[in-house]
Amino acid sequence: GDAGGASLPPPSFEGHAVQQRFFPSGDRLAVAGSSGTIAIWSAMPDGFVQVAMQEHTPGAVIFEVQVFHDGMRLVSIASDCDIIVWDATDGDPLQRLSLPAEPHHVVRVLAD
């Protein structure tokens, strides 16, 4: 029920969440959708969307999203065969790598 506060906005991606990763600080959550969109949600009780990112091909399923250890970037890989490194503060794509046509499902961030 609503305790008199504003209702939460709808998710900024269609479809369903396929991956979720908390940021190292624990205050944000990256949620990757089945439609190729990633949203960064506040993990605080208000739960609002801070950033929405859509650079994967529309309709591409995001197989994996990982947050860098510094919390400043994240990386995703999707069924469009692209790996994208994102700026986690404004959602801008920083780097894109297009892989051969066979979809790859896993990407990892390793400590320095």
Side-chain angles (χ1 to χ4, degrees):
D2 189 359
S7 61
L8 296 177
S12 54
F13 57 83
E14 295 178 12
H16 60 276
V18 293
Q19 279 282 321
Q20 306 86 33
R21 296 282 186 239
F22 275 99
F23 279 71
S25 58
D27 64 344
R28 294 181 292 164
L29 177 68
V31 180
S34 61
S35 64
T37 302
I38 301 169
I40 298 177
W41 294 81
S42 168
M44 301 297 112
D46 56 8
F48 68 93
V49 176
Q50 296 178 325
V51 178
M53 297 166 270
Q54 173 69 60
E55 284 291 324
H56 283 288
T57 304
V61 174
I62 298 175
F63 296 129
E64 184 84 34
V65 63
Q66 292 283 320
V67 179
F68 280 70
H69 301 288
D70 62 7
M72 301 300 293
R73 297 163 291 155
L74 51 97
V75 61
S76 61
I77 188 166
S79 60
D80 61 3
C81 300
D82 284 350
I83 296 175
I84 301 176
V85 177
W86 307 87
D87 182 315
T89 58
D90 59 16
D92 286 341
L94 300 173
Q95 190 171 14
R96 177 188 305 262
L97 174 64
S98 295
L99 299 174
E102 181 180 321
H104 303 272
H105 295 256
V106 178
V107 64
R108 295 287 185 252
V109 175
L110 302 175
D112 293 338

